[in-house]
Amino acid sequence: MDSNIMKEKIIHKGAEATLYYGSWFDKEVIFKYRIPKKYRIEELDKTIRNDRTLNEARALIRVKDYGLNVPQVYEIDTKNSIIVMKYIEGEKLRNALESLDNSRKEEIFKEIGRYIAILHMNGHIHGDITTSNIILTKNHKIFFIDFGLHEYSDSIEDKSVDLHLLKRILISTHGKDFNMCFNAFLRGYHQEYCKEATEECRQIIKNIDVIETRGRYVKKEERL
Amino acid sequence: MDSHKKICLGIESTAHTFGVGVLDFEGNVYSLVNDIFTPKEGGLHPVLVKEHHLNNFMITIKNALSKANCSIKDISLIAFSDSPGLGQVLKIGALIARMLSQILKIPIIGVNHCIAHIEIGRLMCNIEDPLTLYVSGGNTIVSAFESARYQIFGETLDLSIGNMLDSFARDAGLAHPGGPKIEKLAQKSNNYLELPYIVKGMDLSFSGLYTAAKRLIESEQYGKNYNLSDVAYSVQETCFAMLTEVTERALAHTEKKEVLLTGGVAANKRLQKMIEYICKEHNARFEVVPLKYAGDNGAMIGWTGILRYKMEGGQKLSDTFIKPKERMDQITVPWRD
Ligand SMILES: Nc1ncnc2c1ncn2[C@@H]1O[C@H](COP(=O)(O)OP(=O)(O)OP(=O)(O)O)[C@@H](O)[C@H]1O
Ligand SMILES: Nc1ncnc2c1ncn2[C@@H]1O[C@H](COP(=O)(O)OP(=O)(O)OP(=O)(O)O)[C@@H](O)[C@H]1O
Ligand SMILES: [Mg+2]
């Protein structure tokens, strides 16, 4: 490898990738390396790593157009499933949330809601909206990361599922802030979405409840 | 059996299994008897299941007591499954439990079936605070204890894993339950046919996979370019990899140090191997609940009843209604704090 490119240390071992902090020419970067997962067969593993790497890199580049803060992509190595992207200095929302005061929490979630609405209105599904996939920077910017499960879709169902995932992570991980944060999120989402399509927005939000009563316990006589 | 010990009788009646367990308040299980309704064809009809349970409950309870070497008079607590499940079937369990509680003048307590799966796993595997993957005919749930509840981190958005396997097996002409037969067939192949792999965050969807697998066995190529073993192998590899991915994502997110695999599908060796692999990667301890405690059984209901009884005492008879749709994350678990 080029001596201008260096992986310095592992900063995270996730379900999909191992993330290294390092340098790429004169830039501070993250190497998101989708390492082979030996629990699954090679054919499947290769396809998944390849697809997700390409998918994520493309999404990061596209969604920038809508004014979203996402890390800039510097290099894509599809052969080894590596994305080199800008290092975002800041704190994961997951860890930052507790120490923020309530008005700031509401402000942040309203803003997140606005951005997710913009994505959805343009047919982008994030695919894994969690508080681990949002970074807050020192100068109060909100960065969205982890677009590996990103999809293109205009369907109400896919958009509702996206919101449902956030709702559940807030319940399970930030239980006592759930109501305040999710309501603020929905306010921001609604406000933005309604600039274009009020009825569709209403349906997306309503459909979250429908998703919740599914899957749970499918009555056996209703099974296939 | 030690006659000084306090004994609980647990009744499982949420679906096709009518199960009775006899155990003491320290968690020693003396007997476990299941009577499973198997439909001659097609799915489960609640009315038939109900009839089956009504016809068999007496003998099942008697067997459980005699195996435990005790008399009905030795019982000091009745626990029954009050949620979630088929309303008509839950009612039978509740009815029997109320009757015994009144006749014997002993306390009664209702138990959530999903939480019971986790609690019996914690007891039998001697595990403290696991991330649980609960995979069965009715459920596909990734859960962990967080802020006073068993939170659901991931679940299926449509079919449960067991339901998907059983349905596909039925379409392929295999007898119920299909899961074990698919496991056997899969061992004979390593020819992977591509199938939809659908993961959304920590949630899963199996309906696309089911439809595609079904299409494979209806295709003209079937029996020529590939056989049933190949399809079974491909189905297993795909759906278990999905389950493993979301479990790993939940593990990274919750940072738990233990993983528990339970439910009927936990019997599958290939799934066990995959989950074990990610546990090693994350330095987490891995346990599979022993088979007779992983499927539906009365001991899990009894044990969870005992845990709650020790904290809160019994329920008033008028409070012992059934809750067919109750979610595990709606219930407090005071014994975990
Ligand atoms: N560009 C970046 N700048 C700074 N930190 C980052 C960046 N990208 C990722 N991280 C850090 O690494 C963590 C994991 O990243 P990411 O979510 O992309 O990986 P992942 O393997 O998909 O994770 P998982 O599947 O477990 O959600 C993030 O939570 C964040 O803390
Ligand atoms: N070796 C195996 N491989 C895959 N699936 C299996 C295996 N053994 C059993 N199963 C599946 O387990 C399921 C039965 O699970 P279980 O005994 O927990 O009953 P259940 O009533 O479906 O459970 P619950 O009410 O908790 O949802 C069936 O779908 C069956 O095919
Ligand atoms: Mg992530």
Side-chain angles (χ1 to χ4, degrees):
Chain A
M1 219 184 214
D2 200 308
S3 65
N4 293 316
I5 301 176
M6 224 169 70
K7 286 184 190 139
E8 278 171 29
K9 58 170 195 256
I10 292 183
I11 61 154
H12 183 83
K13 259 179 127 169
E16 276 199 63
T18 298
L19 289 100
Y20 296 82
Y21 169 86
S23 56
W24 188 84
F25 300 96
D26 57 345
K27 298 191 163 65
E28 270 184 284
V29 296
I30 289 289
F31 296 86
K32 182 165 183 174
Y33 178 22
R34 287 188 159 81
I35 48 170
K37 294 280 178 188
K38 299 222 177 67
Y39 62 80
R40 57 194 177 205
I41 53 172
E42 218 180 306
E43 295 111 293
L44 188 56
D45 185 57
K46 267 209 173 123
T47 318
I48 292 172
R49 289 189 296 121
N50 227 310
D51 288 358
R52 299 233 178 119
T53 303
L54 265 176
N55 201 38
E56 174 160 30
R58 283 196 189 124
L60 283 171
I61 293 163
R62 298 247 165 93
V63 302
K64 253 192 147 69
D65 296 346
Y66 308 113
L68 238 73
N69 295 314
V70 295
Q72 185 176 355
V73 175
Y74 294 127
E75 196 180 310
I76 308 161
D77 172 355
T78 47
K79 193 160 156 271
N80 298 302
S81 304
I82 301 174
I83 299 177
V84 185
M85 65 181 114
K86 187 176 166 136
Y87 171 69
I88 308 299
E89 199 182 340
E91 202 178 359
K92 269 192 237 191
L93 181 56
R94 180 181 182 219
N95 302 340
L97 193 65
E98 203 158 274
S99 60
L100 301 171
D101 61 46
N102 284 351
S103 65
R104 182 76 187 120
K105 284 178 194 167
E106 285 195 300
E107 221 171 80
I108 289 171
F109 273 91
K110 200 171 162 203
E111 181 100 350
I112 296 172
R114 282 192 42 238
Y115 280 122
I116 298 300
I118 293 173
L119 284 183
H120 284 185
M121 280 159 28
N122 288 290
H124 292 273
I125 309 298
H126 180 284
D128 193 14
I129 315 174
T130 69
T131 49
S132 301
N133 290 336
I134 294 171
I135 300 178
L136 297 182
T137 67
K138 268 203 235 78
N139 44 13
H140 307 298
K141 280 196 178 152
I142 298 171
F143 271 80
F144 293 87
I145 60 166
D146 199 358
F147 283 74
L149 296 175
H150 167 277
E151 276 179 310
Y152 289 100
S153 168
D154 284 317
S155 91
I156 289 179
E157 171 74 9
D158 290 338
K159 294 173 187 180
S160 300
V161 169
D162 222 16
L163 303 190
H164 156 77
L165 296 181
L166 173 68
K167 180 175 177 184
R168 232 219 347 254
I169 214 79
L170 288 176
I171 293 175
S172 59
T173 311
H174 307 280
K176 72 178 173 36
D177 288 327
F178 160 68
N179 272 316
M180 179 177 58
C181 293
F182 196 63
N183 285 335
F185 172 88
L186 287 180
R187 275 201 304 281
Y189 186 87
H190 191 260
Q191 224 174 59
E192 192 64 36
Y193 215 111
C194 286
K195 288 179 184 166
E196 276 187 21
T198 315
E199 177 53 24
E200 187 174 306
C201 179
R202 205 185 57 79
Q203 284 182 26
I204 294 168
I205 293 173
K206 213 178 97 197
N207 193 234
I208 301 175
D209 294 337
V210 180
I211 290 168
E212 273 165 13
T213 53
R214 231 182 279 154
R216 306 292 166 241
Y217 189 89
V218 181
K219 284 200 271 161
K220 295 198 184 180
E221 80 268 32
E222 286 169 8
R223 292 185 199 171
L224 282 176
Chain B
M1 202 197 66
D2 184 339
S3 59
H4 297 293
K5 286 203 164 136
K6 287 182 96 175
I7 307 290
C8 171
L9 183 102
I11 299 173
E12 155 65 28
S13 175
T14 59
H16 60 317
T17 302
F18 187 82
V20 177
V22 176
L23 68 169
D24 68 28
F25 276 37
E26 272 117 64
N28 303 300
V29 178
Y30 300 117
S31 72
L32 202 62
V33 179
N34 281 344
D35 196 319
I36 301 176
F37 170 76
T38 25
K40 293 212 175 61
E41 55 193 45
L44 287 181
H45 290 281
V47 178
L48 296 180
V49 181
K50 184 177 125 183
E51 252 169 43
H52 167 268
H53 289 6
L54 269 177
N55 290 336
N56 292 287
F57 82 88
M58 279 286 266
I59 184 78
T60 312
I61 292 176
K62 264 194 191 149
N63 280 345
L65 287 169
S66 86
K67 267 198 183 169
N69 214 354
C70 72
S71 119
I72 189 87
K73 294 194 193 84
D74 300 325
I75 305 296
S76 46
L77 175 68
I78 298 284
F80 72 101
S81 51
D82 65 5
S83 62
L86 298 172
Q88 302 203 40
V89 181
L90 286 166
K91 261 186 215 157
I92 303 295
L95 213 75
I96 297 164
R98 286 188 207 121
M99 185 180 77
L100 288 173
S101 158
Q102 272 177 309
I103 296 174
L104 301 168
K105 300 194 172 55
I106 54 172
I108 178 172
I109 195 146
V111 167
N112 176 284
H113 173 95
C114 301
I115 290 183
H117 269 292
I118 298 180
E119 288 304 341
I120 198 75
R122 286 179 64 226
L123 173 72
M124 293 301 164
C125 300
N126 197 9
I127 203 165
E128 188 47 41
D129 183 29
L131 178 80
T132 302
L133 175 60
Y134 163 32
V135 276
S136 66
N139 292 282
T140 309
I141 293 178
V142 183
S143 167
F145 186 76
E146 209 80 59
S147 43
R149 304 280 165 107
Y150 280 112
Q151 304 286 358
I152 297 171
F153 285 89
E155 65 196 317
T156 179
L157 292 163
D158 39 55
L159 304 177
S160 76
I161 176 78
N163 184 202
M164 188 274 286
L165 292 171
D166 292 343
S167 303
F168 167 71
R170 199 178 65 207
D171 297 335
L174 304 169
H176 189 88
K181 288 159 197 107
I182 292 179
E183 178 171 25
K184 276 233 173 69
L185 280 166
Q187 284 162 357
K188 291 188 225 150
S189 166
N190 56 13
N191 176 19
Y192 184 71
L193 312 162
E194 210 176 302
L195 288 167
Y197 181 104
I198 302 167
V199 158
K200 306 198 179 227
M202 291 182 237
D203 280 355
L204 307 141
S205 159
F206 294 114
S207 64
L209 171 56
Y210 167 70
T211 320
K214 194 170 172 215
R215 209 169 288 142
L216 280 177
I217 55 172
E218 286 164 1
S219 148
E220 295 213 328
Q221 305 300 314
Y222 182 56
K224 294 180 193 149
N225 294 347
Y226 55 84
N227 58 28
L228 186 55
S229 295
D230 299 334
V231 185
Y233 169 74
S234 308
V235 166
Q236 271 206 166
E237 286 303 320
T238 311
C239 67
F240 293 164
M242 287 163 61
L243 285 170
T244 309
E245 179 181 346
V246 297
T247 305
E248 186 174 19
R249 187 162 290 128
L251 195 56
H253 182 86
T254 58
E255 296 175 357
K256 296 284 179 196
K257 285 288 151 227
E258 299 163 324
V259 175
L260 190 66
L261 178 58
T262 192
V265 184
N268 192 290
K269 289 281 185 304
R270 179 64 181 134
L271 177 62
Q272 290 178 8
K273 224 179 119 199
M274 288 194 190
I275 303 289
E276 185 177 16
Y277 184 87
I278 55 157
C279 290
K280 280 205 188 109
E281 291 273 290
H282 290 261
N283 296 319
R285 192 180 136 206
F286 173 59
E287 295 287 342
V288 184
V289 177
L291 278 193
K292 62 177 184 174
Y293 295 110
D296 294 352
N297 67 85
M300 68 182 199
I301 303 297
W303 177 239
T304 313
I306 291 168
L307 291 173
R308 189 176 293 284
Y309 179 77
K310 283 181 180 167
M311 303 298 296
E312 299 176 339
Q315 277 179 305
K316 275 198 271 179
L317 218 51
S318 55
D319 289 342
T320 57
F321 42 83
I322 57 157
K323 293 156 277 186
K325 299 236 166 184
E326 188 171 61
R327 286 167 60 75
M328 66 197 293
D329 60 1
Q330 294 171 324
I331 303 165
T332 56
V333 277
W335 61 89
R336 282 296 308 267
D337 284 327

